[in-house]
Amino acid sequence: MNDTPLPWSTAWTIARRDLSARFRGLRLLLACLFLGVGALAAIGTLTGAIEGELKSRGQTILGGDLQVEVWQRSASAAERAELEALGQVSGGIRLQAMASSGETVVPIELKAVDAQWPLVGRLTLQDGRKVGAPEPGTAWVSPDALARLEQQNGGTFTLAGQTLKIAGVIADEPDRLSEGFALGPTVIVADGFPEAAGLTAPGAMYRSKYRLLLPQDRDPVATIDLLKAKFPTSGFTYRQRDKAAPGADRFVSRMGEFLVLVGLTAMAIAGIGIGGGVSSYLEARRNSIATLKVLGATSQDITRIYLLQLLAATMAGSLAGLAAGVLVMPALGKALGALLPVAPGFVFDWAALLRAAAYGLLVGLVFAAPPLMAARRFPALALLRARVSPLAGQWREAAWPVGLGFAAIIALTLASAAQLPVTAGFLAGAIVVLGLLGLLGWALRQIAARLRRPQRPLLRLALSNLHRPGAQTGALVTALGFGLSAFVLLAVVQTSLEANIASRVPQRAPDYFMLDLPRDRAAEMERIVLQAAPQAKVRQVPALRGAILAYGPESAMTRVADLKEIPENAWPLRGERGLTYSATLPEGNSLTAGEWWPKDYSGEPLVSVDEELARAIDLKIGDKITIGVLGVERSARIASLRRIDWDSMGFNYVLVFSPNTLADAPHNLAATIDLPAAADRTKLLPQLLRAFPASSVIEVGGVLKQARELLNQVSTAILAAASVAVLAGIAVLLGAIAAARASRLYDNVVLRVLGASRRQLLLLQLAEYGLLALLLAGVALVLGSVIGWLVIVQLFDFAWLPKWPQVLAVLGAGLAMTVAFALAGSLPLLRAKPAQALREL
């Protein structure tokens, strides 16, 4: 006997002739790879495209190589001279303001720019003009501002008592993404307008921004270090072109990581389907394999022939998935273009596409290896005894290709991970879940074999089908477990997101926020409100801006500028934050440590700190905090820690100082206005605007609407991504049911010959799948809930608020769908004619 294996060319000739042009028998493999590879290709391409745009367009997005920002003041002469010595400078002011047209009052984001703006790119108007700063007395307005003001191009509106002409409508604002979240549409005016209108009086809440265009040989990071060393107490915050939109960077990174995990989940589920599909395919090719072995083919020949077939199918499914991932990019770009920088049209990220293809190839081969190894080891006579000796084999021979494949998958995943701990945790969880489901399948077979046999014949047969030779219990448990868990996951994620939208958008919010209220006119403002609504509640607090410069024990304080990385949950250390002072404990706060100072306190400056910040940076009672306010350092000792009610939209400050710490600094007040339900809201806003033209009055309803829309967008994105895994689970479930069809045909024919009716056979299938589904429902509920908790709480930092009646209803629908799929898959078997089927067995 010749032990020389067939040449690869000869093996391919046999494989090609035996392979259906439509991949009949391997369609489950194609479908699973299409879903998994397509998801990973689209996710990787989208994330790479956004990150590439952020990097390549960083200078345009930022409006320069470097941005310096400071609150409530302009750069001093010395600071401005230093900036100008470094490169070309464009300065401007950003603030919240109120614009009016007739009786219509609109909160806007006012952006004052100088003649050098923009340093990079040009502002494009809707009429096609490329422009810079507007002429004095005119403004460029966004389309949303034009609509809310109920004006047209060329019309006029009033801002801080000054009349401005609408000289053009903005089509593309080059540095819009770097400006961040705004409470109103954009209005761009010439530099000098805010000062002339009294919007930058001492204590007013505004930001001065300076963009620098550096020489090519000057590094932005080194320049920032130089400025930090030269102006350590200036209160400057910096941003450079490689981090032009840090909020977008963080969002893309977090969402990209989640989407990659979803794609890998789809691939893991798809792998199970691939294993079942290959096993079913080889089961159907038994006669061909046996014939080849009778004609002298060796086990190595069988491996080569069917490995080539599986590789061809794997490549076809992967290429189809890659094509789908590329084709969907224009639609994704159009949907996200207003929020994130996505290049229009088709995007080819070859690294992402190659990575997705590698995942598809590895997953396909890993899960196809065990059934392929089983087929190659069976002797011809055993293969011919198709229904007596089902394909099974020792896992020992499949261990090395499976082990190497899994090692390659893990290495590829970790090498491309943006957040290594999250990805490593996912991989460990996936391995544990697969192991648990495999162990559960084995345990169910053992339990079913040892249970007492029911008296009813149909139940007895259904129980026997769970443990007899060739039973698909293991595959069905894995498929059903993943499928039903996916339904539970989708339900808990959806209901938790809906509940978060309802709870995180506060129900106890005031009707209006008022910013930049002059301290000497506080009583006048309250009188106007109470005249319009006598039952209204007005709360006024001092409002300042400052940055935490140092913190810790007085003898060993940590300077924020020296930190290479901000500690987890220590977000108040990033840039300037709102500050206030109070003689009494603020409403909605509760002390958790220390004591509040007396109302007439005049001793050492004191501060009360949010307990979450104190925990994040290890602050204790008696430690000190140094802040920078208007370029001046001020220090205070920590007197207490507070728990803040963040669920209300009142005044919530991380740092609250004793009055003697900040009362002498220039500042205005901020106010909230709560109106009774029956109050007339149409007159109050115009009255406040006429009395306080330099102040901003923000209607909270619009802010809440934006918050709901944002959360709804996040919810939709998460659910759309999770649906890919659900589709993969459904495909695997259908595949597992189809994989058992060949053995079911043999059983049904024998039972039909013995006198069983079609109704009895249908009830048998219903009993078997129903029993298995009910046993797995509890497992799926736990598994899906745990994964959902990790997504909601750990990944997105939302509250865990699932609605269990809806979750159970979705699980019940999943059970019904499972049984319906099983019965639908059994219908062709019920129509089989015993005589014809026996001739083919």
Side-chain angles (χ1 to χ4, degrees), residues 471-493:
Q472 296 287 322
T473 304
L476 285 172
V477 164
T478 307
L480 282 171
F482 263 109
L484 294 175
S485 298
F487 282 110
V488 173
L489 171 64
L490 198 64
V492 297
V493 168

Side-chain angles (χ1 to χ4, degrees), residues 268-453:
I269 297 173
I272 300 166
I274 289 167
V278 171
S279 179
S280 176
Y281 176 73
L282 293 176
E283 207 41 84
R285 313 305 296 169
R286 298 180 69 119
N287 289 340
S288 298
I289 298 173
T291 301
L292 287 171
K293 287 205 166 190
V294 168
L295 293 175
T298 65
S299 295
Q300 195 169 356
D301 296 334
I302 298 300
T303 302
R304 288 191 174 189
I305 292 169
Y306 286 95
L307 178 62
L308 287 171
Q309 287 190 355
L310 296 177
L311 278 173
T314 300
M315 292 298 293
S318 298
L319 288 174
L322 293 176
V326 172
L327 291 173
V328 78
M329 275 302 298
L332 291 175
K334 186 176 181 180
L336 297 174
L339 300 174
L340 293 169
V342 185
F346 294 105
V347 177
F348 294 91
D349 186 329
W350 296 110
L353 296 177
L354 287 173
R355 193 161 50 244
Y359 277 123
L361 185 62
L362 288 170
V363 169
L365 294 181
V366 163
F367 284 90
L372 184 59
M373 289 296 179
R376 75 187 289 270
R377 293 294 299 164
F378 260 56
L381 290 178
L383 284 165
L384 288 169
R385 294 196 301 270
R387 309 306 165 204
V388 178
S389 301
L391 278 181
Q394 298 296 325
W395 274 85
R396 197 171 302 166
E397 292 203 5
W400 69 267
V402 170
L404 287 176
F406 271 124
I409 292 171
I410 291 171
L412 180 61
T413 304
L414 295 178
S416 58
Q419 298 181 50
L420 194 59
V422 175
T423 305
F426 166 80
L427 289 173
I431 293 171
V432 169
V433 168
L434 284 172
L436 286 175
L437 288 175
L439 183 63
L440 181 61
W442 175 85
L444 284 177
R445 292 189 66 170
Q446 299 302 312
I447 293 171
R450 287 166 174 75
L451 285 177
R452 184 178 178 182
R453 297 294 175 264

Side-chain angles (χ1 to χ4, degrees), residues 124-195:
T124 305
L125 301 178
Q126 287 186 349
D127 58 13
R129 284 182 291 160
K130 306 284 186 180
V131 296
E135 295 292 329
T138 67
W140 312 130
V141 302
S142 68
D144 197 16
L146 190 72
R148 293 190 191 184
L149 288 168
E150 300 176 357
Q151 276 288 350
Q152 295 180 347
N153 194 3
T156 61
F157 65 96
T158 301
L159 183 60
Q162 307 291 314
T163 300
L164 288 170
K165 179 182 178 182
I166 300 173
V169 182
I170 301 169
D172 181 28
E173 185 182 351
D175 56 355
R176 174 66 259 168
L177 190 61
S178 68
E179 300 289 1
F181 179 76
L183 293 175
T186 303
V187 172
I188 301 177
V189 297
D191 191 30
F193 175 84
E195 292 87 345

Side-chain angles (χ1 to χ4, degrees), residues 28 31-32 35 269-270 273 479 725-738 821:
L28 177 62
C32 289
L35 287 171
I269 297 173
V726 173
L727 287 174
I730 292 173
V732 171
L733 176 59
L734 291 173
I737 293 169
F821 283 155

Side-chain angles (χ1 to χ4, degrees), residues 76-291:
S76 67
E79 291 167 342
R80 181 71 188 237
E82 182 66 28
L83 295 179
E84 291 176 345
L86 294 172
Q88 188 178 351
V89 180
S90 171
I93 287 175
R94 312 291 186 272
L95 56 85
Q96 292 297 134
M98 301 297 292
S100 63
S101 175
E103 293 298 316
T104 302
V105 180
V106 178
I108 56 123
E109 180 191 23
L110 185 64
K111 180 174 178 176
V113 295
D114 61 15
Q116 286 73 43
W117 180 88
L119 292 175
V120 183
R122 298 292 286 174
L123 177 73
T124 305
L125 301 178
Q126 287 186 349
D127 58 13
R129 284 182 291 160
K130 306 284 186 180
V131 296
E135 295 292 329
T138 67
W140 312 130
V141 302
S142 68
D144 197 16
L146 190 72
R148 293 190 191 184
L149 288 168
E150 300 176 357
Q151 276 288 350
Q152 295 180 347
N153 194 3
T156 61
F157 65 96
T158 301
L159 183 60
Q162 307 291 314
T163 300
L164 288 170
K165 179 182 178 182
I166 300 173
V169 182
I170 301 169
D172 181 28
E173 185 182 351
D175 56 355
R176 174 66 259 168
L177 190 61
S178 68
E179 300 289 1
F181 179 76
L183 293 175
T186 303
V187 172
I188 301 177
V189 297
D191 191 30
F193 175 84
E195 292 87 345
L199 295 171
T200 58
M205 282 292 178
Y206 66 93
R207 292 172 293 161
S208 295
K209 286 189 177 184
Y210 301 91
R211 272 76 179 269
L212 281 74
L213 200 59
L214 302 175
Q216 291 186 353
D217 60 348
R218 184 175 288 278
D219 178 42
V221 177
T223 304
I224 290 175
D225 293 337
L226 175 68
L227 290 171
K228 285 181 177 179
K230 185 157 288 192
F231 304 109
T233 63
S234 63
F236 286 162
T237 55
Y238 304 92
R239 194 182 299 177
Q240 49 102 358
R241 65 190 178 215
D242 290 339
K243 297 290 182 181
D249 284 341
R250 287 192 292 271
F251 174 79
V252 171
S253 175
R254 184 64 60 88
M255 183 59 76
E257 189 73 19
F258 167 72
L259 292 176
V260 168
L261 296 184
V262 168
L264 292 176
T265 302
M267 285 301 300
I269 297 173
I272 300 166
I274 289 167
V278 171
S279 179
S280 176
Y281 176 73
L282 293 176
E283 207 41 84
R285 313 305 296 169
R286 298 180 69 119
N287 289 340
S288 298
I289 298 173
T291 301

